Amino acid sequence: MAADARLVWDWIKTRGGESQRIYVWGHSLGSAAATLFVKRLCEEDNAPNGVVLEAPLTNVEDASMSHPLSLPFRYLPFFRSFFLASLPEKFDSLNRVGYLSCPLLIVHGLLDRIIPVEQGERMFQAAVSGGRSDPSQVYFEVFPEAGHRQIKSFPKLRLLLRQFIPLSSESQH
C-alpha cells in the first residue's frame, strides 16, 4: 500500500507545482499505511500539509484481538504465536505516529466495534508524546454516535476539516 501511495504522491507532486496543498487520509487499515507512508515522507523532509487518520488502529495485533471475527479464536493459546506473530507486517502505527512532523487530525467513532476508540486515543497520546516539535498540531475528535464507517456522514466532520485545513496550512509556513 505504501508503494502505491508513493506512486500517487510522486504523480501529484510533479503535476501540481510548489503551491499545492496535499493531505493524506487513512481509514482503518489504511491509517496504518498512511502512517508508514507519511513517516517516510517526514524523514525525507517532504511532509504533506496534514494527515487525517479515521478510526486508526494501533497495530495489527491490537486490531485483531478486538475485531469481532476473532472472538472464537483470540482465547486459543496459539492464536497470537501462530497467527499474529507470523504476519510479515505488524502495521505498528503506534510506534510510528510520533515521527509525523506535520499536523495530524485523528477522528474516531465512540461506537466503533471494529477498531475500538481506545486505539484512537492511544494513537493521539503517542503522537503528542512522541517527540514532535509542536504537539499542539495534533487533534483528536470523538464522534459519540458513530461506528466504524459512519464518521463521514456527520456534518461535524466537515466543520472539523474546515478548521484543520487552514491551521495545517499556516503551520507549514
Side-chain angles (χ1 to χ4, degrees):
M1 286 187 278
D4 291 340
R6 185 58 191 233
L7 287 171
V8 172
W9 176 266
D10 290 342
W11 185 86
I12 291 170
K13 292 291 274 188
T14 59
R15 283 157 182 78
E18 292 299 317
S19 64
Q20 68 186 348
R21 295 184 298 174
I22 303 174
Y23 295 84
V24 175
W25 189 305
H27 174 257
S28 196
L29 183 58
S31 71
T35 303
L36 172 60
F37 174 60
V38 173
K39 177 184 181 279
R40 290 177 180 166
L41 291 175
C42 291
E43 289 168 347
E44 299 169 8
D45 199 26
N46 191 20
N49 288 83
V51 178
V52 178
L53 300 179
E54 179 184 354
L57 54 97
T58 53
N59 56 58
V60 75
E61 183 172 342
D62 290 346
S64 297
M65 293 305 287
S66 63
H67 196 284
L69 292 177
S70 73
L71 185 60
F73 309 104
R74 69 177 84 143
Y75 299 106
L76 297 173
F78 59 84
F79 180 68
R80 284 181 191 239
S81 61
F82 177 74
F83 176 68
L84 296 176
S86 66
L87 294 173
E89 171 59 56
K90 306 301 185 219
F91 297 104
D92 193 3
S93 297
L94 190 63
N95 287 319
R96 293 176 177 149
V97 72
Y99 293 97
L100 306 187
S101 58
C102 55
L104 173 63
L105 172 63
I106 299 172
V107 294
H108 215 117
L110 186 61
L111 304 179
D112 192 333
R113 293 176 15 133
I114 306 296
I115 308 291
V117 70
E118 292 80 18
Q119 290 190 41
E121 292 168 348
R122 289 175 59 204
M123 289 286 287
F124 172 73
Q125 291 302 322
V128 169
S129 64
R132 295 174 61 95
S133 59
D134 189 358
S136 70
Q137 292 293 309
V138 181
Y139 309 93
F140 180 59
E141 190 71 33
V142 174
F143 288 69
E145 298 174 1
H148 190 66
R149 294 181 187 92
Q150 287 87 34
I151 292 174
K152 64 185 169 291
S153 65
F154 284 84
K156 178 181 175 182
L157 178 62
R158 287 182 281 289
L159 294 173
L160 278 172
L161 292 173
R162 284 189 195 122
Q163 294 168 352
F164 177 69
I165 289 173
L167 290 174
S168 59
S169 295
E170 290 170 11
S171 74
Q172 301 292 312
H173 299 291

